[in-house]
Amino acid sequence: MEQPSVLQSVERDVEDQPNAQLVHSVLRLVLAVRYRKNLVAAVMTAAVLLGGLYYATAPRRYAAKSLLLITQMRPDRFDTSITNDEFVRQNTMPTFENIVRSAAVIEGALKSVSGADRVDLAGLPSDAWLGRIKKNTAAKAIRSTNVMEVSYTSKNPQAAVGVVRALVQSFIEFIDRNHRGTAGELIRMLTKEREALNKNLALKRGELQQARRQFADMDVGETDTLHPMVKRAVGFNDALIEAQKKRVEFEAMLISIHTAIANGEDLSQYAIRVGDAVGREMLLNSLGLGNRDSFTQASMEKSLLDDRAELATVLQNLGPNHPEVVALTERVRMTEQFLASAQQRIDQRLTEMKKGQLGPWLMGIVQRNRDEALREEEMLNARFERARAEATNLSGQLAHLEMLERDVKRMDDMDTALFNQIANLDLRQNGQDVRVTVTEPPVINPNPVSPRLGMVAVLTLLGGLGLSLGMVTLLDALDDRFRSIEEMQSRLGLPLLTMVQRLEAPESVGPRALIAHAAPTSTASESFRTLRTALSLTHADARQIVITSAEPSDGKTTVLANLAVCYAQGDKRTLLIDADLRRPGLTNLMDMRGPHGLSEILRSSEDIGEMAKFHVRSSGIAGLDILPSGPRPPDPAELLGGPRFSQLLAWAETTYDQILIDSPPTLAATDTAIIGRLVDGVILVVQPTKNRRRLVTRVVERLNLMKIPLLGLVINRIGSEEDRGYYGYHGYGYGYGYGYGYGDHAEYGQDEAAETAEEIEKFASITEGRRREQNDGKDTQALLVPRRVA
């Protein structure tokens, strides 16, 4: 049964688990870091040294902060809650954060910052002070609260405290100037008027006390026998007091309506309070609810009731289609439609008035009433002054005393009215009043906020780690070599079957050139027996095996021939087929060049069995036969892809226990892909010091793409001597630029024999040199051979 390759299993896992590719990349990065751990250690050491140098030499910065509680007054409540405030819901805290760092607040703060606290402004022109203060200032709201933190960083801790205090004071003054409501302005205006009234009241009381001392009668004002002129002055005085009260009320209502219009509030409550019968009648008429309209609507409603009663009586004796019934029904419908449309018109007019007409109308009425009250007050005041003068002239000192008492009483009443109005506005103000309270004043903090040892340490470690990983990743991308067995297996997704040493160049050809036959007890021969054992354990059913490589001169032919000897030594009848019809290395190695071979069988139309028996030759080793390549054909791929090659494999399977096939390098020709689809598996020979990582990866991806089973890897040419032939031979390439011909023994003797001699020693020498370069000491443990390689 055909075994799935490791890479195919990995691909299936990637489809089921999206994170598998990420894990694979992380593992590759870990291997790269392990290989270049000296570089990582050097970069981290340099980063730590630079971080320590920065911490030791960086200027210290100190910070001071203050906490502010921002609250709001509403018309119906005074909200001083720290959390869940209206400001938070309306996202107004960011506005205050920007105000703290605004030019207006900073300029106000600079006026109160002392010279000793301007250490951060030393050496700067005055036009740059604002930018420096703004850069060092921070304001942020504490989440889910009405508390805002204002902080400032400076070279001096005392200067930081001074600047924060100045900023907080400037911010509070800015809020006090710009965030008061209209009612607050009215309160200040009325308070100013009351203060002036109190001054006049104090003067009048002083005059009254002096007049009473002159008459030595404190109760003269209590007499009931007043002169008519005095009574007249008293009457004007009382009327003047009422007119003044009415004027104050109209002024307060006018400001309230103006504020309600500006805030988009409902004006219906003010429409009822205008207190003007004519105004209310005009409002009702504009809405269609005047006396005439009401009479018309009442008449229509009465007519509707009468028509409904008459219709009900007629329906008892007449049918629904009777002319009289139809006429009554139509009259009822039209009356109902008129009444419904009348209500709709009223609603529409009311909506229109609320949108644009009600406000100006109310403003006009209140303004007119205020003006009338003011004219009335002026007129009464003029008459009162004339009456008082007449009473004074008539009654002399007594009248003067009475008038002083009346003046004092009038002023007392006016003061009470103003006080009540101020208190009422203070509780029912329509605007919002922002209040700022300092909950935590700034204090000196002797500990610097910059640089912080913990932050510098974290940034140093992260920076060093990031830089080292970046350098490792860059070098890993530039270095296109396999650095270890683990990396090769991880990238290719294939198991390692064995590693083969570098072999000395054979002095002859034929069976004596195969080390597994010439020196079966040598260490090199043990590598091939290890390969045989690995295949028997992991792929026991693989009887037809192709051995290939990524590039020419990787030693695949030597590995194939020695593996066949090991199978033959294990009492298995083994057939070696040289399917490299372009450059038959196996045929040259075994010195079997001639007119007989695989190409003749594939081109012939005779019986496969008879042709095979004729062309298969004995190797001279018991149990091992060889089918050479034969004459060079013009179309190797077409011959191998034809039906006769599969028939040949079927015949060989009935005759031999093991069939091993030598094929061209995968990147040089498509022959391996053609043969691989007909056999049980493919073994890939890799020479790490020669083969580029991308090329080997491309071979594996191509074979997996074509569903060709890969059995594993054989690492060739492991040794400790200096590499001789790092770039290998370039016989394969575009167009196969090398010669053919039998009898040209020098070609193999010079090239292939040298290849065979160098097969075993290459990888270890290069990795040994890399260990010396990297000073890396130990590295990865090989899987099947007790030897350490880079």
Side-chain angles (χ1 to χ4, degrees), residues 296-302 304 308 333-346:
T296 302
Q297 186 170 358
S299 301
M300 293 295 293
E301 290 176 352
K302 181 176 182 305
L304 178 62
R308 286 177 176 174
R333 185 187 66 80
M334 293 181 64
T335 304
E336 291 175 345
Q337 183 177 0
F338 174 80
L339 292 176
S341 62
Q343 184 62 38
Q344 292 177 357
R345 289 193 301 272
I346 293 174

Side-chain angles (χ1 to χ4, degrees), residues 81-98:
S81 62
I82 298 179
T83 61
N84 197 27
D85 189 75
E86 186 75 15
F87 273 24
V88 176
R89 292 194 297 271
Q90 296 179 357
N91 296 322
T92 54
M93 292 301 288
T95 302
F96 295 121
E97 294 174 3
N98 293 328

